[in-house]
Amino acid sequence: MKSRNMDILIRLEELGFLILTVFLFSQLPYPWWLFPLLLVIPDISILGYMINDLIGAYVYNFMHHKGIAVLFYLAGVLTASTLLALVGLILFAHSSLDRLLGMGLRHRKGFKETHLGPLGGKR
């Protein structure tokens, strides 16, 4: 079980990541209102749970994996594709926001089991 101080530290780190993505987004040629609009899109991955818990966990975790987000962003930077960079930033920002709010990657046991502990449970 994590200590309260560790929980605060992790949330502050995620807040920093979220602020970084806002700054990086401001360097792209897109209107500011697009950022909050797209920020909710990765949660479409929740639909994988309509098939079963295993597929749901894999699809959800792929869309919420920060490594995948960084790969998209770097691919965008290296190929001068602002669209790929945008996808990477949105995925990263969304994952940081989720973790800031105490939600994590999912286990195959079910949607409410995360790598940060059970949703709604004490952390």
Side-chain angles (χ1 to χ4, degrees):
M1 189 141 200
K2 294 186 297 191
S3 72
R4 176 110 172 102
N5 289 338
M6 183 59 74
D7 191 46
I8 291 169
L9 184 62
I10 289 170
R11 288 175 192 244
L12 286 173
E13 180 181 40
E14 296 302 338
L15 178 61
F17 285 146
L18 185 58
I19 291 168
L20 175 63
T21 59
V22 170
F23 169 75
L24 292 173
F25 176 82
S26 75
Q27 306 303 302
L28 296 176
Y30 296 106
W32 67 267
W33 54 264
L34 195 59
F35 187 83
L37 180 71
L38 295 176
L39 201 54
V40 297
I41 296 296
D43 276 339
I44 287 174
S45 60
I46 248 170
L47 296 176
Y49 280 95
M50 293 176 69
I51 298 170
N52 64 42
D53 285 344
L54 179 63
I55 298 295
Y58 279 120
V59 172
Y60 185 91
N61 290 342
F62 179 83
M63 295 292 290
H64 289 77
H65 194 287
K66 288 185 173 184
I68 300 295
V70 169
L71 288 177
F72 270 100
Y73 180 74
L74 289 177
V77 169
L78 294 174
T79 63
S81 169
T82 58
L83 181 59
L84 281 177
L86 174 66
V87 168
L89 285 178
I90 293 301
L91 291 173
F92 198 91
H94 179 88
S95 296
S96 292
L97 180 61
D98 270 7
R99 289 178 180 99
L100 178 65
L101 298 173
M103 295 177 269
L105 298 174
R106 306 298 185 214
H107 288 287
R108 293 180 289 183
K109 296 182 242 174
F111 182 75
K112 292 189 176 197
E113 296 296 322
T114 78
H115 82 283
L116 298 174
L119 285 181
K122 294 196 178 227
R123 299 206 199 300

